[in-house]
Amino acid sequence: MEPNSIRRALLLSAALGGWSIGPAAAQAQSPSQKSTVPVRGGTLYAIVQPEPTVLTSTTNNNYPNGVVSANIYDGLLTYDESLNPQPGLATKWAVSADGKTITFHLRPGVKWHDGQPFTSADVKFSALEVWKKIHSRGRITFAPLDDVLTPDAHTAVFKLKSPSLVIFSALNAVESQILPRHLYEGTDIYANPHNLRPVGTGPFRFKEWRKGQYIELERNPDYWDAGKPYLDRLIFRVIPDAASRAAALETGDAWYAPFDAVPQADVQRLRGHPELEVTTRGYDWQSQYVFLEFNLRHPALAKTEVRQAFAHAIDKQALVDTVWYGLGKPATGPVPSTLRKFYTTQDVPQYAFDPAQAERLLDQAGYPRGEGGVRLTLWQDYQPFNETFKNNAEFIRQNLKRVGVDIKVRSQDLASFVKRVYTDYDFDIETGQWSPYLDPQIGVIRQYWSQSIAKGVPWTNASGYANPELDRLIEAVQVQADPARRVALFQQFQRIVQTDLPVLPLFEIHHFTVHNKRLHGLSRAPDGAFSSLKNAWIQT
């Protein structure tokens, strides 16, 4: 590919890629009387569920961590509604003709929340020591990154081993947070106390975290985006009970709740509430799906026939309709249909709901029905993000019971789940949601690449799956500069993994946010659910 073509491909890929509010205030003006002039001040009460484990997504990128920390940190870029990159901490950028140098010009005058200046040294440290080494997705996304040059305080030059078409899709404030070098360098990044008391450059400063109750952020008066944020405070409330979360929204005790904070069963009722809006905007950047992952260290689950039997035994459409109230559609593989450029079903194996075929496969694998009709007894662990994931696990248990597989569902808190699955590998099957993001290289391949078997690192390859053919394909896609060839490689990727089936994609999930109609300025971008609330304001 010619140098100019490489540069055009990179650029094309980048383009793709005071007031306290309560029930009394809610009666001041009807929701239809919308002001277009932002109102300054006020405290926004939001819901985050479950409670974050840390307040940076660099060491653990659970979505609750990102929802809060995206208000504290900035990224080099943001994205508009059409996925075009926009300035963040970088005001402009340029790609060299050979595609192996990206120069970012940084915003001058930016300060960390402790008053220290933000410089290119912070970008270099974060890129090389954090994103590339410890971030569960960044270690793949930034694998081509060889060095970051800092010719001056406001210029960061990324030197790549090979052109990378994915980097521009991963530079926002939640995926690639920039950490303060002066507080992290020379420390154990995982154990650094600033993971719990963060210091960022973002629109809100950390004030207080009362475990089990709330996280309080306050307006950053020195924020580089003049006049922002409009709100004085953000308080993210931790409300473990689902019915109480819905009640808080209905009574006006909370005004903002992203990421399915209330049960799907309540969505229709909340849509009819005169003061609430339910929206599915802001989640396309993630393009999440719900999956079942097998631990291939288990002798039964190491057999392809057993995994394929599970796929035939689970009624995916009924799962969507029954447990998720229609908020999704069955998946055909690990690349969701929203990623239209990469998605294919051509020659990709599909597993229709067919319990009789599931039974035949289990017989062939050497697991006939025994006493009580049971073939296998296994544990299922599920991501404990909300009650629906428990119901999801129960539905799978019932489906598998019909074909003679006895599943025991294990409940635990998020920290225990992460340790069990990603450190101890002490599980049989695990279920939850997965994020491919705008490009499969960011989010998909980490669940399948053998180099992503990283003990202790959440959201990596927990199954232990290793296929040399697939590894070679993954390594080829990481350095492929021709967009058409790259798409072809990802389509072959789908064919291989849907044949081997170390992970069973179940359905593409439709997330939702519930907010009060008097809360304005929420981001409409594809990553809006993870964007800061710097533009949010309250109509009084």
Side-chain angles (χ1 to χ4, degrees), residues 34 37 66 77 83 101 119 154 190 197 200 210 232 238-239 266 285 306 345 349 369 377 393 408 410 421 433 461 463:
K34 293 183 179 179
V37 179
L77 303 178
L83 303 181
T101 299
T119 72
H154 298 114
Y190 286 109
R197 299 185 61 84
R210 290 191 175 239
D232 288 333
V238 178
I239 306 176
D266 292 341
W285 178 69
V306 172
T345 57
R369 287 183 180 268
T377 298
K408 300 182 184 301
R410 180 161 43 205
V421 173
Q433 61 188 6
N461 179 341
S463 70

Side-chain angles (χ1 to χ4, degrees), residues 46 87 122 138 154 201 213 234 257 306 337 341 374 421 425 514 516 529:
D122 298 303
H154 298 114
T201 59
Q213 298 181 50
L234 288 177
V306 172
S337 60
K341 181 168 64 174
V374 175
V421 173
Y425 301 130
V514 183
N516 196 287

Side-chain angles (χ1 to χ4, degrees), residues 67-100:
V67 165
V68 178
S69 65
N71 292 283
I72 300 169
Y73 293 99
D74 287 310
L76 288 174
L77 303 178
T78 63
Y79 303 107
D80 65 16
E81 293 182 39
S82 299
L83 303 181
N84 298 310
Q86 300 295 316
L89 288 176
T91 58
K92 59 182 180 179
W93 47 92
V95 182
S96 65
D98 65 0
K100 295 197 291 186

Side-chain angles (χ1 to χ4, degrees), residues 150-312:
T150 55
D152 59 58
H154 298 114
T155 306
V157 182
F158 283 28
K159 304 297 290 185
L160 309 178
K161 301 172 188 173
S162 58
S164 174
L165 296 181
V166 69
I167 284 178
F168 277 98
S169 296
L171 292 174
N172 64 359
V174 69
E175 182 65 9
S176 300
Q177 292 176 345
I178 298 175
L179 301 183
R181 186 188 69 157
H182 65 283
L183 298 177
Y184 277 85
E185 189 173 41
T187 73
D188 179 348
I189 293 173
Y190 286 109
N192 191 295
H194 294 288
N195 294 340
L196 302 178
R197 299 185 61 84
V199 174
T201 59
F204 293 92
R205 302 184 303 198
F206 173 80
K207 185 175 182 181
E208 183 180 25
W209 185 354
R210 290 191 175 239
K211 293 292 182 72
Q213 298 181 50
Y214 63 83
I215 298 168
E216 181 177 354
L217 310 181
E218 61 183 4
R219 184 179 188 272
N220 175 11
D222 301 317
Y223 190 50
W224 54 263
D225 193 353
K228 308 287 181 66
Y230 297 118
L231 296 165
D232 288 333
R233 291 193 305 165
L234 288 177
I235 295 182
F236 288 92
R237 297 181 61 192
V238 178
I239 306 176
D241 180 66
S244 298
R245 293 195 295 272
L249 290 161
E250 292 178 285
T251 60
D253 288 336
W255 276 47
Y256 176 66
F259 278 97
D260 317 340
V262 301
Q264 279 75 3
D266 292 341
V267 169
Q268 197 58 36
R269 186 184 81 251
L270 296 180
R271 287 188 192 277
H273 194 289
E275 293 174 353
L276 296 178
E277 181 174 342
V278 180
T279 178
T280 56
R281 290 193 305 266
Y283 298 97
D284 286 351
W285 178 69
Q286 282 189 298
S287 298
Q288 285 189 324
Y289 57 84
V290 170
F291 71 94
L292 183 156
E293 184 169 25
F294 302 93
N295 189 342
L296 305 190
R297 302 168 187 85
H298 189 289
L301 300 177
K303 296 187 176 184
T304 306
E305 299 96 328
V306 172
R307 303 195 297 273
Q308 291 174 342
F310 277 46
H312 283 297

